[in-house]
Amino acid sequence: MRSRPGNMERIVICLMVLFSGTVAHKSSFQGQDRLLIRLRQLIGIVDQLKNYVNDLDPEFLPAPEDVKRHCERSAFSCFQKVQLKSANTGDNKKIISVLTKQLKRKLPPTNAGKRQKHDLTCPSCDSYEKKPPKEFLQRLKSLIQKVYNLNYI
Amino acid sequence: MERPARLCGLWALLLCAGGGGVAAPAEPQPPVTNLSVSVENLCTVTWTWNPPEGASPNCSLKYFSHFGNKQDKKIAPETYRSKEVPLNERICLQVGSQCSTNESEKPSILVEKCISPPEGDPESAVTELQCIWYNLSYMKCAWLPGRNTNPDTNYTLYYWHSSLGKILQCEDIYREGQHIGCSFALTKVKDSSFEQHSVQVMVKDNAGKIRPSFNIVPLTSHVKPDPPHIKNLSFQNGDLYVQWKNPQNFYSRCLSYEVEVNNSQAETHDIFYVEEAKCQNSEFEGNLEGTICFMVPGVLPDTLNTVRIRVKTNKLCYEDDKLWSNWSQAMSIGQKANPTFYITMLLIIPIIVAAAIIVLLLYLKRLKIIIFPPIPDPGKIFKEMFGDQNDDTLHWKKYDIYEKQTKEETDSVVLIESLKRASQ
């Protein structure tokens, strides 16, 4: 009679471990799927912004290129920090602001992504070359395409 | 009420003056010195210069540079600028110095330095130099000979990318009709911290008579995958499910697909363009690892359907999506309309019938007479009809096949009278 409660506890612990294992496995897939979906949306947003490139303020913006391995998330955040302003023409101002807002949404985390080197070892945003809006958007698209093709992000 | 306004005005003046003082000196700086240009690898052109002499001491020098037609403007503190450019044309860089990274600031007088393509007649350089990266494994470049060149010219292709330490020569030259090409191995080096971005290619001849031709191939485009392999075709609930395996080296999310279904009976030819395809485990028995699935609607299950698939890179991972792979091996499902079966049946049956007839004809005379009756001779018939009319009807009887010809029986007759006389 004394050993029975002990056995029951062990069974309950084992079941909890198994359950959490399956849930964790599932959530890692979900995390990566969510990231891929977001990346697909981002490429669409960048393509749309490219149509309005003439309405953007021609200020030079930091545009990372040739990003080091495992620094892709940090480079992407540099793109996000930029203030993409529209020039004076008011027609497309609203669309541009909506698109830039969607660009600034945080990327979904993934298990592999959490292991990425943080901003300490990656170059700071100021160290990247500055480019006009057209090249900025092109480099942003290249970075998204590169990340979409990676297996460790 | 006037005083606050005057005070504001004074403040504004002071601020402007102060701001002007903090800002960079309004006069432009002296121009840069010793601007020179050099070429590394095959197509990496580097311009270097020295800082200007006699610049203002407060000025933290930045350099403004742009190419011809004011393209690619850059403001940076480095005293060099590098660019990967195919040296098929003359290219010039203009450099000036300024004190801030502000684009609106007017730089110094711009100094220009140009670099020309290598020696040679521009007409002699090869044309249409194009490269395709096959399945991320090997690259094939092809070109047409230039005008006014000797047809016997031996060409050599040199290539370089950032993972190689030196320029390599391509060994595997081939000829395809008018085009000449060369093939070399090229794989993505995954473990290095630097990825290759593009391959620089140069074609020149061994004798050195023609002008070399250059091309820079970005590694995010011009990719042609290998064809996929169809693993399984099955019908479920009246829909055709196609299961295939993508070529290695590609993620499924980086490819677009085209599924072609040919129906031989209805003679329909449908092509389905698929952006995303995944296998749902529950729908397939024995789901194979790493396969992609697609459901084709509206397929008749009782007829022969042939399926082929091809893939291309999509714009989510690569820069362009124009190169389709070759079609995969076709796979069929449905009733096999076997033509050979029908042909053999068509040949065998008449042969059997003919043989049977021949056998029967030989062995059954009655059958023979029915099938081949004796051909009546009209001359004979008319002759006998109009000839001897005195003939008794017995003559005609021989034409009656049903008449049985009776035999004449002869017996010796003995007269009884002579017998009586003999006895008296």
Side-chain angles (χ1 to χ4, degrees), chain B residues 79-94:
Chain B
T79 55
Y80 62 89
R81 183 156 176 191
S82 193
K83 187 172 158 90
E84 258 189 344
V85 58
L87 286 167
N88 296 321
E89 285 164 355
R90 195 174 139 99
I91 180 162
C92 303
L93 180 75
Q94 296 182 2

Side-chain angles (χ1 to χ4, degrees), chain B residues 135-162:
Chain B
N135 206 39
L136 305 180
S137 313
Y138 62 95
M139 183 170 270
K140 264 190 175 179
C141 294
W143 61 89
L144 284 174
R147 284 181 256 177
N148 311 330
T149 47
N150 197 346
D152 293 334
T153 329
N154 283 333
Y155 295 98
T156 317
L157 185 138
Y158 297 90
Y159 64 97
W160 178 88
H161 54 85
S162 54

Side-chain angles (χ1 to χ4, degrees), chain B residues 74 83 97 102 135 143 169 175 206 284 407 411:
Chain B
K74 180 175 171 177
K83 187 172 158 90
S97 59
N102 204 343
N135 206 39
W143 61 89
Q169 189 174 329
R175 266 186 198 257
N206 298 346
F284 300 91
K407 256 188 180 176
D411 277 325

